[in-house]
Amino acid sequence: MSARRYEDELQAEKDYVDGLYERLDAERARVKARHSAALLGNGGTLVDREVEVRTLAREMQRLDVADHGLCFGRLDAVSGERSYIGRIGIFDEENEFHPLLLDWRAPAARPFYVATAASPENMRRRRQFHSRGRQVVEFTDEVLGRPGGDDPDTRSDSALLAAVNAPRGDGMRDIVATIQAEQDAIIRLDHSGVLVIEGGPGTGKTVVALHRVAYLLYTQREQMERHGVLVVGPNAAFLKHIDRVLPSLGETNVVFTTTGDLLPGLHVTAEDAPDAARLKGSLQMLDVLAAAVADRQGLPEKPFPIELSGVALQIDAEAAEWAREEARASRRPHNEARSVFREIVTYVLTERAIGRIGKGWLSRSDRTAWEQMRTELVEELAQDANFTAVLDALWPILTPETLLAQLYTSPERLAAAGADEALLRTDGDAWTVSDVPLLDELIDLLGPDKRPDPTVELERKARTEYAENVLNSLVSRADHMEDDELRLFATDVLDAEGLAERFVERDTRDLAERAAADRDWTYRHIVVDEAQELSAMDWRVLMRRCPSKSFTVVGDLAQRRSAAGAMSWGAMLEPYVPGRWEYRPLSVNYRTPAEIMTVAAALLAEFAPDVRAPESVRACGVQPWSRLVDDVELPSAIEEFVRGEAGREGTSVVIGPPGVAGTVPASATKGLEYDAVLIVDPERILADGPRGAAELYVALTRATQRLGVLHRGPLPSSLSGLAETAHRA
């Protein structure tokens, strides 16, 4: 294409996209005006207005996130028809069936991702726009239906390479415009169960998973909007890295969390030592937890004395054992079964008391008198603090936190529950990430952990009383009016309780906020990233959160560092979704250049010889380097790297083992990417065995451009491909 023709076509594309933005702005203004009117409460019921306000707020947010890169490409069909592809759909005002801009998730947009020279999908050309803000600055054409030539403007991979070579920012950029056919097939896969996407570093598996969620939200809008989507990542930094992707695609009914935040109100980041993590992640903990609960359902070593209406009684082991058997047989959670335990003990005590009090004058044949006395004795027991104290000793109301903390700090309780002594610790409630699924499990085993709150009922009665006074006041005013037969009293259309309910504060949070705060919320779909790190107990938590068992699972078994993580996908998933999970691999590395991947692949071959490293799609032309330093030189060498990268565009990170100043652990960089990476003391990272090898593999594959290594001991043989230098390259 000549320079003159290119400039003419570029201007034409700019004009077209400018028109799309005009339509976007007009639609945004219209929706904003409707939203403002709805907030003022013009017409309709309160409930209808709340629904309208929320709907319009979501629509405004959808339009706002489309502002950046609204339109990113064009398809030219063999028939001559042109279709523009973008973040949302925009239609002609005069013809609602004529799209000015196709939503990327629409079936008609599919050729934009899957068409190739060999299989053009009836398309002649794919044009990709490169924008800065609202401005189209250039475009790249791919001529389909014939092999690409040497012209870089028509190479099929030019747009992709432009995307992967771009400097990294603070957050992950959605690459919807450069999704390749292999990835697009996974995004649009029609599968209702669990989809496992496995790929090595840089294969784009996280991007694919998030775009699959956007696609499902688009194609299953009604089901998804009612329940939302949960995205689980390995750490807060990773979630911050990706949380812009889905909103930038126009989807907001999504909750982002880590496994340490799955219980509302609890934020946990600390990790256990490998042995403890492996034990806590095992399904054997189900038996331990059940036994720990049963251990708190005690029998008295000696009878407890109880005085009832002047009669001295005892709660002995026989009565308590009967009550315990009945309570357990009810199959209710522990705290709920306490009422059964209490009922049986109460029955035993009142029967014994009536027999003594009524001796000589009251028999069972006089059922009315017998039951009347029982009622009085039951009420007396209910007010007896000593009786309540005995119940608390034999069948206490427990919280998950209390039970687990007391279990961890007591060798006797651990032994009684059949738990390994490796779980013993001095600070019982110093929670770790591995404790979260156990606490979640205990919520179901224990049931509600509070007795009925009398203040709730008192508040309700107070609201009702206030409302009744308001209604009576309205009626009394009406008494002074004429035409009694035409009078309509307030009490004719609304009672006091109905009016009182109107004083109750309504929940105005959006779906994501409500779901994140509700442990019992169930999601329509769950995405699990770095899924190889999740334990069997973690999976139980997530399966409870998604009854439909609809998951997108993303991971790489070769990067597993958790002692409790997955050894195979089948072993982890078959118990929950037998025959309902599918596996899709990704084999092309878009992030890590070949120069760096060669080094990482050598390490992978040593600790996971059965795993094939992903093939890099590009080279960067910069060789990774290593440098031997001593203890004195190390701080200045790190500073030299940091100072040098500060002057470049993009991001950088220094990764090292615990205790090295100025470094972060490899685990904190999982799922992240940087333009430049410096690894410190790889020999110390490797010293942690298989876990350390996985950590070093993660560290080596974070860089998109430049990689350096500082070592104080002999360089590990697996890193022999690094070019040793006396100074930083």
Side-chain angles (χ1 to χ4, degrees):
M1 183 184 300
S2 68
R4 177 61 181 271
R5 182 184 169 193
Y6 178 87
E7 290 299 327
D8 289 345
E9 292 204 22
L10 177 61
Q11 186 58 51
E13 301 295 20
K14 288 181 178 180
D15 293 343
Y16 189 90
V17 173
D18 287 345
L20 292 176
Y21 274 112
E22 289 178 7
R23 293 294 309 278
L24 178 69
D25 291 339
E27 181 66 10
R28 183 187 288 117
R30 185 186 68 82
V31 173
K32 186 176 181 180
R34 288 184 57 196
H35 183 259
S36 298
L39 288 175
L40 293 174
N42 298 332
T45 67
L46 179 62
V47 173
D48 289 341
R49 289 200 302 273
E50 286 184 357
V51 171
E52 185 178 17
V53 167
R54 287 187 181 183
T55 301
L56 292 171
R58 286 198 299 270
E59 180 64 10
M60 285 195 302
Q61 191 169 22
R62 186 182 77 92
L63 296 173
D64 286 342
V65 299
D67 221 16
H68 176 71
L70 171 64
C71 176
F72 44 72
R74 189 185 91 187
L75 274 175
D76 295 356
V78 173
S79 63
E81 182 181 4
R82 290 180 177 178
S83 300
Y84 286 84
I85 316 297
R87 299 188 184 283
I88 63 173
I90 295 179
F91 292 84
D92 192 329
E93 288 182 346
E94 298 179 358
N95 182 2
E96 60 178 311
F97 298 104
H98 177 237
L100 300 176
L101 183 67
L102 269 177
D103 189 303
W104 70 272
R105 293 157 292 197
R110 186 172 183 272
F112 189 79
Y113 304 108
V114 302
T116 64
S119 180
E121 301 277 328
N122 293 319
M123 295 295 150
R124 182 174 60 84
R125 183 195 310 272
R126 172 169 45 216
R127 173 168 290 179
Q128 300 200 32
F129 299 149
H130 308 288
S131 302
R132 186 175 297 115
R134 289 188 165 203
Q135 186 74 31
V136 176
V137 295
E138 62 178 349
F139 65 78
T140 302
D141 277 350
E142 302 169 38
V143 178
L144 304 171
R146 62 175 178 79
D150 295 332
D151 184 352
D153 289 332
T154 61
R155 287 188 323 189
S156 61
D157 61 352
S158 58
L160 171 65
L161 291 177
V164 299
N165 281 313
R168 266 48 191 169
D170 292 333
M172 177 182 286
R173 298 164 296 112
D174 66 283
I175 58 167
V176 66
T178 55
I179 292 172
Q180 300 301 286
E182 179 185 50
Q183 299 172 327
D184 184 77
I186 296 174
I187 291 170
R188 300 171 192 267
L189 184 66
D190 183 16
H191 179 64
S192 60
V194 176
L195 173 62
V196 177
I197 305 171
E198 182 168 31
T203 53
K205 52 187 180 294
T206 298
V207 170
V208 171
L210 295 178
H211 284 75
R212 175 168 171 77
V213 171
Y215 179 72
L216 293 175
L217 283 163
Y218 181 75
T219 57
Q220 303 177 20
R221 173 69 61 185
E222 185 177 348
Q223 304 97 307
M224 293 289 186
E225 280 192 338
R226 286 201 302 267
H227 296 281
V229 172
L230 177 66
V231 176
V232 182
N235 51 56
F238 174 79
L239 294 178
K240 182 180 178 181
H241 181 60
I242 69 171
D243 68 0
R244 301 177 190 177
V245 175
L246 280 175
S248 75
L249 297 173
E251 309 302 347
T252 56
N253 291 337
V254 181
V255 175
F256 293 88
T257 189
T258 67
T259 53
D261 292 316
L262 281 172
L263 274 183
L266 194 64
H267 174 65
V268 182
T269 58
E271 295 186 359
D272 278 300
D275 285 347
R278 182 169 51 252
L279 290 169
K280 292 179 182 180
S282 167
L283 292 180
Q284 294 176 358
M285 285 301 298
L286 295 175
D287 295 332
V288 171
L289 295 178
V293 173
D295 184 50
R296 305 305 294 270
Q297 301 164 354
L299 300 176
E301 295 181 0
K302 59 182 180 179
F304 285 105
I306 295 288
E307 184 175 320
L308 187 57
S309 288
V311 176
L313 302 170
Q314 291 182 333
I315 300 178
D316 52 28
E318 182 181 5
E321 185 172 15
W322 178 29
R324 185 172 72 174
E325 290 176 356
E326 291 294 324
R328 289 177 174 175
S330 72
R331 305 187 71 82
R332 299 181 188 177
H334 170 86
N335 291 331
E336 295 179 14
R338 174 183 163 111
S339 63
V340 178
F341 183 86
R342 178 181 187 131
E343 180 182 347
I344 299 299
V345 174
T346 298
Y347 174 81
V348 171
L349 292 176
T350 54
E351 282 291 301
R352 291 175 180 175
I354 294 172
R356 296 186 188 181
I357 295 172
K359 187 176 182 178
W361 63 271
L362 180 62
S363 67
R364 289 186 180 275
S365 60
D366 189 352
R367 297 190 59 179
T368 301
W370 190 283
E371 290 304 322
Q372 176 62 33
M373 182 175 292
R374 181 197 300 282
T375 300
E376 294 173 357
L377 293 175
V378 168
E379 292 177 353
E380 182 180 341
L381 270 180
Q383 303 300 319
D384 189 329
N386 185 39
F387 178 62
T388 300
V390 173
L391 289 177
D392 288 341
L394 297 178
W395 198 286
I397 290 180
L398 297 169
T399 68
E401 293 83 359
T402 298
L403 184 141
L404 201 57
Q406 293 177 352
L407 176 68
Y408 287 154
T409 55
S410 170
E412 294 76 20
R413 292 195 187 281
L414 284 172
D420 194 290
E421 62 180 13
L423 299 183
L424 183 67
R425 67 190 189 202
T426 56
D427 191 353
D429 57 2
W431 304 122
T432 66
V433 173
S434 301
D435 291 327
V436 173
L438 308 187
L439 292 168
D440 191 79
E441 196 77 35
L442 285 169
I443 290 176
D444 289 342
L445 286 175
L446 297 177
D449 58 15
K450 294 181 180 178
R451 298 180 178 89
D453 188 350
T455 61
V456 174
E457 179 62 19
L458 290 175
E459 289 175 358
R460 188 192 67 79
K461 289 182 177 179
R463 289 196 304 269
T464 302
E465 184 178 348
Y466 173 77
E468 189 171 2
N469 290 336
V470 171
L471 291 174
N472 290 337
S473 174
L474 294 174
V475 171
S476 65
R477 291 179 190 175
D479 288 340
H480 301 290
M481 299 173 61
E482 298 180 358
D483 300 328
D484 289 356
E485 66 280 2
L486 299 177
R487 189 182 309 153
L488 180 64
F489 293 112
T491 51
D492 292 332
V493 295
L494 188 67
D495 61 16
E497 288 195 1
L499 180 59
E501 288 303 311
R502 299 194 173 206
F503 290 94
V504 178
E505 184 177 352
R506 296 185 180 274
D507 191 346
T508 59
R509 297 172 298 174
D510 62 25
L511 182 143
E513 291 172 325
R514 287 181 285 126
D518 185 356
R519 181 261 175 184
D520 295 321
W521 188 278
T522 57
Y523 295 89
R524 182 66 180 84
H525 190 79
I526 295 180
V527 177
V528 186
D529 208 330
E530 300 293 340
Q532 73 278 355
E533 306 297 349
L534 270 63
S535 70
M537 292 298 292
D538 289 325
W539 280 108
R540 284 181 60 84
V541 177
L542 296 180
M543 291 294 171
R544 282 193 288 270
R545 301 291 197 272
C546 187
S548 65
K549 305 296 187 289
S550 178
F551 284 75
T552 299
V553 175
V554 182
D556 179 11
L557 294 179
Q559 295 186 58
R560 180 181 66 87
R561 59 181 295 274
S562 171
M567 300 295 290
S568 76
W569 300 119
M572 195 64 79
L573 296 173
E574 273 294 322
Y576 304 105
V577 284
R580 282 193 61 227
W581 66 279
E582 288 198 22
Y583 176 84
R584 291 291 185 275
L586 291 171
S587 58
V588 179
N589 187 333
Y590 298 104
R591 177 180 68 213
T592 315
E595 295 89 344
I596 296 175
M597 199 61 217
T598 299
V599 177
L603 173 64
L604 181 66
E606 283 196 2
F607 80 92
D610 296 333
V611 179
R612 182 179 177 182
E615 182 179 353
S616 293
V617 75
R618 67 187 180 94
C620 65
V622 179
Q623 290 297 324
W625 55 270
S626 64
R627 178 181 168 190
L628 178 64
V629 295
D630 57 28
D631 294 347
V632 175
E633 295 171 323
L634 180 62
S636 60
I638 294 176
E639 175 61 27
E640 181 184 354
F641 170 83
V642 172
R643 187 170 56 251
E645 290 300 330
R648 297 175 184 258
E649 184 181 6
T651 59
S652 62
V653 69
V654 181
I655 301 174
V660 178
T663 72
V664 299
S667 58
T669 66
K670 294 204 75 169
L672 306 181
E673 55 185 36
Y674 305 87
D675 290 271
V677 172
L678 179 67
I679 300 175
V680 177
D681 288 345
E683 64 276 18
R684 286 182 55 192
I685 298 175
L686 277 176
D688 199 12
R691 171 173 167 157
E695 293 239 332
L696 183 56
Y697 182 62
V698 169
L700 289 170
T701 54
R702 298 307 94 194
T704 65
Q705 303 291 341
R706 300 174 296 280
L707 172 68
V709 172
L710 298 176
H711 58 104
R712 286 184 281 183
L715 191 67
S717 59
S718 57
L719 303 185
S720 59
L722 292 169
E724 188 74 30
T725 178
H727 301 283
R728 176 175 177 260

PDB file of all heavy atoms in Angstrom, residues 591-606:
ATOM      1  N   ARG A 591       4.744 -14.313  25.880  1.00  0.00           N
ATOM      2  CA  ARG A 591       5.370 -13.337  26.767  1.00  0.00           C
ATOM      3  C   ARG A 591       6.884 -13.454  26.813  1.00  0.00           C
ATOM      4  O   ARG A 591       7.613 -12.474  26.635  1.00  0.00           O
ATOM      5  CB  ARG A 591       4.819 -13.497  28.200  1.00  0.00           C
ATOM      6  CG  ARG A 591       5.490 -12.561  29.202  1.00  0.00           C
ATOM      7  CD  ARG A 591       4.918 -12.745  30.592  1.00  0.00           C
ATOM      8  NE  ARG A 591       5.247 -14.044  31.164  1.00  0.00           N
ATOM      9  CZ  ARG A 591       4.439 -14.714  31.988  1.00  0.00           C
ATOM     10  NH1 ARG A 591       3.268 -14.232  32.303  1.00  0.00           N
ATOM     11  NH2 ARG A 591       4.807 -15.879  32.472  1.00  0.00           N
ATOM     12  N   THR A 592       7.389 -14.646  27.073  1.00  0.00           N
ATOM     13  CA  THR A 592       8.807 -14.826  27.348  1.00  0.00           C
ATOM     14  C   THR A 592       9.594 -14.978  26.051  1.00  0.00           C
ATOM     15  O   THR A 592       9.321 -15.891  25.261  1.00  0.00           O
ATOM     16  CB  THR A 592       9.029 -16.072  28.219  1.00  0.00           C
ATOM     17  OG1 THR A 592       8.078 -16.083  29.284  1.00  0.00           O
ATOM     18  CG2 THR A 592      10.431 -16.086  28.779  1.00  0.00           C
ATOM     19  N   PRO A 593      10.569 -14.142  25.798  1.00  0.00           N
ATOM     20  CA  PRO A 593      11.359 -14.269  24.571  1.00  0.00           C
ATOM     21  C   PRO A 593      12.172 -15.558  24.577  1.00  0.00           C
ATOM     22  O   PRO A 593      12.485 -16.118  25.629  1.00  0.00           O
ATOM     23  CB  PRO A 593      12.251 -13.032  24.585  1.00  0.00           C
ATOM     24  CG  PRO A 593      12.307 -12.600  26.009  1.00  0.00           C
ATOM     25  CD  PRO A 593      10.992 -12.976  26.613  1.00  0.00           C
ATOM     26  N   ALA A 594      12.536 -16.027  23.382  1.00  0.00           N
ATOM     27  CA  ALA A 594      13.235 -17.306  23.233  1.00  0.00           C
ATOM     28  C   ALA A 594      14.542 -17.332  24.006  1.00  0.00           C
ATOM     29  O   ALA A 594      14.930 -18.373  24.561  1.00  0.00           O
ATOM     30  CB  ALA A 594      13.481 -17.575  21.746  1.00  0.00           C
ATOM     31  N   GLU A 595      15.238 -16.201  24.074  1.00  0.00           N
ATOM     32  CA  GLU A 595      16.525 -16.162  24.773  1.00  0.00           C
ATOM     33  C   GLU A 595      16.365 -16.527  26.243  1.00  0.00           C
ATOM     34  O   GLU A 595      17.185 -17.241  26.827  1.00  0.00           O
ATOM     35  CB  GLU A 595      17.150 -14.766  24.653  1.00  0.00           C
ATOM     36  CG  GLU A 595      17.534 -14.360  23.242  1.00  0.00           C
ATOM     37  CD  GLU A 595      16.402 -13.685  22.504  1.00  0.00           C
ATOM     38  OE1 GLU A 595      15.230 -13.801  22.955  1.00  0.00           O
ATOM     39  OE2 GLU A 595      16.664 -13.035  21.479  1.00  0.00           O
ATOM     40  N   ILE A 596      15.304 -16.027  26.869  1.00  0.00           N
ATOM     41  CA  ILE A 596      15.067 -16.304  28.290  1.00  0.00           C
ATOM     42  C   ILE A 596      14.437 -17.680  28.470  1.00  0.00           C
ATOM     43  O   ILE A 596      14.780 -18.422  29.402  1.00  0.00           O
ATOM     44  CB  ILE A 596      14.178 -15.207  28.903  1.00  0.00           C
ATOM     45  CG1 ILE A 596      14.904 -13.856  28.865  1.00  0.00           C
ATOM     46  CG2 ILE A 596      13.775 -15.560  30.329  1.00  0.00           C
ATOM     47  CD1 ILE A 596      14.073 -12.684  29.342  1.00  0.00           C
ATOM     48  N   MET A 597      13.533 -18.058  27.568  1.00  0.00           N
ATOM     49  CA  MET A 597      12.847 -19.339  27.711  1.00  0.00           C
ATOM     50  C   MET A 597      13.809 -20.503  27.572  1.00  0.00           C
ATOM     51  O   MET A 597      13.588 -21.567  28.162  1.00  0.00           O
ATOM     52  CB  MET A 597      11.736 -19.450  26.662  1.00  0.00           C
ATOM     53  CG  MET A 597      10.695 -20.504  27.007  1.00  0.00           C
ATOM     54  SD  MET A 597       9.854 -20.146  28.573  1.00  0.00           S
ATOM     55  CE  MET A 597       9.647 -21.802  29.237  1.00  0.00           C
ATOM     56  N   THR A 598      14.894 -20.329  26.838  1.00  0.00           N
ATOM     57  CA  THR A 598      15.899 -21.386  26.716  1.00  0.00           C
ATOM     58  C   THR A 598      16.494 -21.720  28.080  1.00  0.00           C
ATOM     59  O   THR A 598      16.701 -22.897  28.423  1.00  0.00           O
ATOM     60  CB  THR A 598      17.014 -20.953  25.751  1.00  0.00           C
ATOM     61  OG1 THR A 598      16.453 -20.721  24.456  1.00  0.00           O
ATOM     62  CG2 THR A 598      18.096 -22.017  25.651  1.00  0.00           C
ATOM     63  N   VAL A 599      16.774 -20.688  28.867  1.00  0.00           N
ATOM     64  CA  VAL A 599      17.319 -20.896  30.209  1.00  0.00           C
ATOM     65  C   VAL A 599      16.280 -21.555  31.102  1.00  0.00           C
ATOM     66  O   VAL A 599      16.568 -22.523  31.824  1.00  0.00           O
ATOM     67  CB  VAL A 599      17.769 -19.551  30.818  1.00  0.00           C
ATOM     68  CG1 VAL A 599      18.273 -19.748  32.237  1.00  0.00           C
ATOM     69  CG2 VAL A 599      18.845 -18.914  29.945  1.00  0.00           C
ATOM     70  N   ALA A 600      15.026 -21.042  31.070  1.00  0.00           N
ATOM     71  CA  ALA A 600      13.969 -21.603  31.914  1.00  0.00           C
ATOM     72  C   ALA A 600      13.676 -23.051  31.539  1.00  0.00           C
ATOM     73  O   ALA A 600      13.417 -23.894  32.415  1.00  0.00           O
ATOM     74  CB  ALA A 600      12.708 -20.753  31.791  1.00  0.00           C
ATOM     75  N   ALA A 601      13.724 -23.369  30.253  1.00  0.00           N
ATOM     76  CA  ALA A 601      13.434 -24.732  29.806  1.00  0.00           C
ATOM     77  C   ALA A 601      14.476 -25.716  30.308  1.00  0.00           C
ATOM     78  O   ALA A 601      14.162 -26.881  30.603  1.00  0.00           O
ATOM     79  CB  ALA A 601      13.361 -24.769  28.276  1.00  0.00           C
ATOM     80  N   ALA A 602      15.717 -25.276  30.425  1.00  0.00           N
ATOM     81  CA  ALA A 602      16.765 -26.153  30.952  1.00  0.00           C
ATOM     82  C   ALA A 602      16.492 -26.509  32.403  1.00  0.00           C
ATOM     83  O   ALA A 602      16.688 -27.655  32.829  1.00  0.00           O
ATOM     84  CB  ALA A 602      18.123 -25.465  30.816  1.00  0.00           C
ATOM     85  N   LEU A 603      16.025 -25.531  33.185  1.00  0.00           N
ATOM     86  CA  LEU A 603      15.660 -25.807  34.579  1.00  0.00           C
ATOM     87  C   LEU A 603      14.458 -26.739  34.637  1.00  0.00           C
ATOM     88  O   LEU A 603      14.431 -27.700  35.424  1.00  0.00           O
ATOM     89  CB  LEU A 603      15.349 -24.495  35.306  1.00  0.00           C
ATOM     90  CG  LEU A 603      14.784 -24.634  36.725  1.00  0.00           C
ATOM     91  CD1 LEU A 603      15.798 -25.278  37.657  1.00  0.00           C
ATOM     92  CD2 LEU A 603      14.355 -23.262  37.271  1.00  0.00           C
ATOM     93  N   LEU A 604      13.455 -26.488  33.801  1.00  0.00           N
ATOM     94  CA  LEU A 604      12.255 -27.323  33.785  1.00  0.00           C
ATOM     95  C   LEU A 604      12.603 -28.773  33.467  1.00  0.00           C
ATOM     96  O   LEU A 604      12.052 -29.702  34.062  1.00  0.00           O
ATOM     97  CB  LEU A 604      11.268 -26.775  32.750  1.00  0.00           C
ATOM     98  CG  LEU A 604       9.937 -27.520  32.606  1.00  0.00           C
ATOM     99  CD1 LEU A 604       9.114 -27.382  33.879  1.00  0.00           C
ATOM    100  CD2 LEU A 604       9.156 -26.992  31.412  1.00  0.00           C
ATOM    101  N   ALA A 605      13.530 -28.974  32.561  1.00  0.00           N
ATOM    102  CA  ALA A 605      13.918 -30.336  32.177  1.00  0.00           C
ATOM    103  C   ALA A 605      14.535 -31.093  33.337  1.00  0.00           C
ATOM    104  O   ALA A 605      14.467 -32.326  33.393  1.00  0.00           O
ATOM    105  CB  ALA A 605      14.898 -30.281  31.004  1.00  0.00           C
ATOM    106  N   GLU A 606      15.115 -30.389  34.286  1.00  0.00           N
ATOM    107  CA  GLU A 606      15.741 -31.044  35.437  1.00  0.00           C
ATOM    108  C   GLU A 606      14.718 -31.470  36.483  1.00  0.00           C
ATOM    109  O   GLU A 606      14.783 -32.578  37.007  1.00  0.00           O
ATOM    110  CB  GLU A 606      16.779 -30.119  36.074  1.00  0.00           C
ATOM    111  CG  GLU A 606      18.089 -30.039  35.314  1.00  0.00           C
ATOM    112  CD  GLU A 606      19.199 -29.433  36.160  1.00  0.00           C
ATOM    113  OE1 GLU A 606      18.938 -29.116  37.346  1.00  0.00           O
ATOM    114  OE2 GLU A 606      20.322 -29.276  35.652  1.00  0.00           O
TER     115      GLU A 606
END
